[in-house]
Each structure stands twice: as C-alpha cells, then as structure tokens.
Amino acid sequence: MKLFIATVVAAAAATATVLIAGSRQSESAEVGDASPIFGVHIPAGYRQWEMVAPAQEAEPLNELRAVLGNTVAIKAYKDQTLPFPDGTILAKLAWKHIQSPDFEPASVPGATTTVQIMVKDSKKYAATGGWGFGRFIDGKPVDEAQHETCFACHESRVKARDYVFTRYAK
C-alpha cells in the first residue's frame, strides 16, 4: 500500500512538473516580427492571460484598454512585489471606444488600435529600467521612433512603481 501511495504521489508530481513547464513554454513562445530597438515579440497565447486591469483613455486617443499579465506578473501583483521579477510580461490591448449600438449608455470596443508588450529582463534591458517594449498594429511592430518614447514616458511618470503604470484591479 505504501508503495502504491508513493507511486501515485510521484506520478502526480511528475504531471505537475510537465504542466508547469508547458505553461511556461507557452508564455515564452513568441509570434511575429520583433519590435525595433528592444526585440520584443507578441507572446503566443497572451489573450488567455489573467486581466490586471481595464482602462479608458480620454481624447485624443479615445480608447478602451485591457492589461493582461502572464503568471509571473500576476503573482508579483498579488504579492505586491516591486520591482517586478524577471520573466514578467504585460500585454496592453487597445480598441477605439465607441457607443454600444444595442444599449446607448454602454461603451464597447471598436476597431483594434494596438497591442503593447512590456518584458522584464533586468540584464538584457538594464538601460531601460529592466524593461523591453514592443508596440504592434495589426500584429506588426511600429517604427523605431515610436519605441524610443516608451521608456521616457514610463521613467518620468512611474519610476517608483518599477516603470509600470497599471495597478492591479482586485
């Protein structure tokens, strides 16, 4: 009986290890072209990540946004860990903000505007607070000039929060 229990426990541990490893691989898999300057890709499967927080951007952008985080990011938010650990990835999805055609008081997402990615790697991106940035339109990275402004904005406004604007919505 003890041998049976030990075998079941070992099998469960092995299965958990494989599932965790598979989850990490899917979070680190990349798709499409890399962003200029930082070489950041859109992570495969990012749309299945947990939501960090929604947001609404006023004029001139007039966007609805949702920030998603990989498991490393969500754990850091929940544990209130700053700085964020290496391996943290945040994805911001943005859509035009439009009035619902079905219910006038409601807003709904319109056309997709951008997907923006932040990747924490304190060695690779040491010059930019440990963060690499990517901004994509229709899955393609935008030009280099737009990427040059990412860190400057984060540095001037949210340096004390490890350069991250989005707060966790509980």
Side-chain angles (χ1 to χ4, degrees), residues 77-101:
Y77 272 112
K78 288 179 177 178
D79 294 346
Q80 299 180 350
T81 302
L82 284 180
F84 285 89
D86 283 357
T88 296
I89 306 174
L90 300 172
K92 177 170 58 175
L93 291 69
W95 304 267
K96 277 297 178 189
H97 174 219
I98 63 171
Q99 181 179 16
S100 170

Side-chain angles (χ1 to χ4, degrees), residues 105-122:
S107 297
V108 296
T112 301
T113 57
T114 63
V115 173
Q116 298 176 37
I117 307 293
M118 285 179 66
V119 176
K120 183 68 180 263
D121 184 328
S122 58

